[in-house]
Amino acid sequence: MKQTNISIFIPHIGCPHKCSFCDQRSITGELSAPTAEQVRTVLEEQAEHLAERGMAAEIAFFGGSFTAVPRGYMLELLDTAMAAVKRFPCYTGIRCSTRPDCVDGEIADILRCYGVTSVELGAQSMNDEVLLANERGHTAEDVRRAAALIKQSGIELGLQMMTGLYKDTPERCLETADEFIKLAPKIVRVYPTVILKNTRLGELFESGEYRSFPFDETVDLCVELLKKFERNNIRVIRLGLHASSDVEREMLGGVYHPALRAIVESRIVLSELTERLNAFPQGDYTIFTDKKNISRTIGQKRENVRRLSAFGYNIEVREREGAVLEIVPKKES
């Protein structure tokens, strides 16, 4: 059965800080906090659609600081979600995202008692200089402490990181990934920084004091991050912000591309093909691969084909069930 999320966005009402990059209106498109009754209605309506499609879903409270909202409101939402899980077989659990400094033993116990299945911590970086410069209001040690409490409660741990923040470097991003791996999360999200209007980063960008990583450097960095997490059996469930007209309208700079993950995965395939083709003389080749890897192998707008051609390898990509980058000289294929 295919699994998805029913996302309920809880805006900035509980967050104790306004971070340098944050403009939640642009990121989520949400203006006001939903009531418990509105959430109940959404869950009832979505349950019908899920049942019709034979799908299952977790109820996901996103927005960045779920456990920092007023306690009574948080409990109303959890009550509503838990009732939906009990009533509708299509709902398999509850997940939320929150800040590392908004998780303590009491919060962890509450989440466990309500059957929360997964908590994602917006860590963003494990470098204290980067966290301070971007006004996060927590430290790397807060991330470690919160992660331990979540895992001790039997709840799946997720971690979110950003690349290209103020005072950040690619090396610091890779170190953050290493620190994440030590915490052994089940899942990770990677968000290259998007610089938005009406934010501290926006001011620093417009003054010329701050520049995020360039696009190609970010792609190369994300290649290394994705490979690093996958080697350690940690799923990267999101790479880059969701496509959003609000973000596109409000962004000043940074890295935003609706197909960023596809570009990164294609770059990984290009790296592997380049290494393997180096053992062959220049010439014409057919690359056989399975259906799911066709577009990654060709590359966005045929980028991989063009790059290999520049090195003297003219390739044609063809589908073959069960094949994984099988290289055959054209005269043999």
Side-chain angles (χ1 to χ4, degrees):
M1 182 179 289
K2 188 175 180 181
Q3 182 80 27
T4 187
N5 288 336
I6 300 300
S7 297
I8 310 293
F9 284 99
I10 310 300
H12 208 303
I13 59 173
C15 192
H17 297 275
K18 184 173 182 181
C19 304
S20 66
F21 51 82
C22 187
D23 180 0
Q24 277 213 346
R25 177 174 178 174
S26 294
I27 294 170
T28 68
E30 301 292 313
L31 298 176
S32 60
T35 66
E37 184 58 37
Q38 288 172 328
V39 171
R40 183 178 298 110
T41 299
V42 168
L43 296 179
E44 288 176 352
E45 292 173 348
Q46 291 300 317
E48 293 182 16
H49 297 312
L50 291 166
E52 290 171 358
R53 299 170 187 169
M55 297 176 65
E58 286 188 312
I59 300 164
F61 293 109
F62 288 152
S65 53
F66 181 70
T67 61
V69 303
R71 181 64 57 85
Y73 177 53
M74 183 183 79
L75 294 178
E76 283 183 354
L77 295 178
L78 287 172
D79 276 326
T80 301
M82 186 170 66
V85 171
K86 291 179 177 179
R87 179 181 172 188
F88 301 106
C90 60
Y91 291 128
T92 58
I94 304 167
R95 65 191 305 128
C96 68
S97 61
T98 195
R99 294 174 51 88
D101 54 334
C102 294
V103 175
D104 57 20
E106 181 186 10
I107 286 291
D109 286 343
I110 289 171
L111 298 177
R112 176 179 54 79
C113 289
Y114 274 92
V116 171
T117 44
S118 178
V119 174
E120 295 184 35
L121 295 177
Q124 316 313 357
S125 175
M126 293 296 281
N127 182 281
D128 283 336
E129 183 180 352
V130 173
L131 293 172
L132 181 62
N134 290 277
E135 303 171 46
R136 282 294 294 167
H138 69 79
T139 65
E141 189 56 36
D142 289 324
V143 178
R144 298 185 187 99
R145 178 190 51 77
L149 286 170
I150 290 165
K151 295 185 74 173
Q152 288 165 12
S153 298
I155 299 172
E156 179 184 282
L157 173 66
L159 295 172
Q160 301 173 3
M161 70 174 290
M162 297 180 67
T163 68
L165 287 166
Y166 184 44
K167 302 292 186 182
D168 208 355
T169 66
E171 292 74 23
R172 286 178 167 180
C173 291
L174 293 171
E175 289 166 3
T176 286
D178 289 335
E179 290 297 315
F180 276 18
I181 290 165
K182 292 176 185 177
L183 298 176
K186 188 77 171 180
I187 59 169
V188 164
R189 297 178 194 259
V190 180
Y191 295 114
T193 297
V194 176
I195 307 165
L196 299 172
K197 300 174 185 176
N198 303 313
T199 65
R200 176 62 177 151
L201 281 191
E203 294 172 359
L204 292 168
F205 178 80
E206 290 182 314
S207 73
E209 184 175 344
Y210 160 69
R211 287 290 182 270
S212 189
F213 305 158
F215 184 83
D216 279 343
E217 185 176 353
T218 296
V219 170
D220 289 340
L221 172 60
C222 287
V223 164
E224 295 308 311
L225 291 172
L226 190 57
K227 292 194 296 186
K228 187 182 286 281
F229 286 128
E230 289 182 345
R231 280 197 303 268
N232 287 276
N233 299 313
I234 298 169
R235 288 192 303 126
V236 178
I237 64 170
R238 186 71 201 173
L239 186 54
L241 288 175
H242 290 277
S244 165
S245 58
D246 292 312
V247 170
E248 291 172 5
R249 183 176 60 252
E250 297 296 321
M251 71 177 291
L252 297 170
V255 173
Y256 169 79
H257 195 293
L260 180 62
R261 182 166 192 141
I263 293 171
V264 170
E265 290 178 340
S266 290
R267 191 71 61 86
I268 291 173
V269 173
L270 174 63
S271 176
E272 183 175 347
L273 273 177
T274 301
E275 182 178 348
R276 292 177 59 185
L277 282 166
N278 280 337
F280 292 80
Q282 294 179 340
D284 300 334
Y285 294 89
T286 301
I287 309 297
F288 291 101
T289 191
D290 57 16
K291 184 176 181 179
K292 69 179 181 180
N293 283 313
I294 287 285
S295 61
R296 296 172 188 165
T297 305
I298 294 172
Q300 191 180 50
K301 298 180 180 178
R302 299 183 62 80
E303 178 185 13
N304 290 357
V305 174
R306 288 198 306 274
R307 288 199 179 199
L308 290 170
S309 177
F311 293 125
Y313 296 97
N314 301 309
I315 68 166
E316 177 188 4
V317 180
R318 294 172 61 182
E319 180 183 339
R320 177 181 286 172
E321 186 176 353
V324 181
L325 300 184
E326 181 181 339
I327 302 172
V328 180
K330 266 291 184 69
K331 60 185 178 181
E332 299 177 14
S333 62

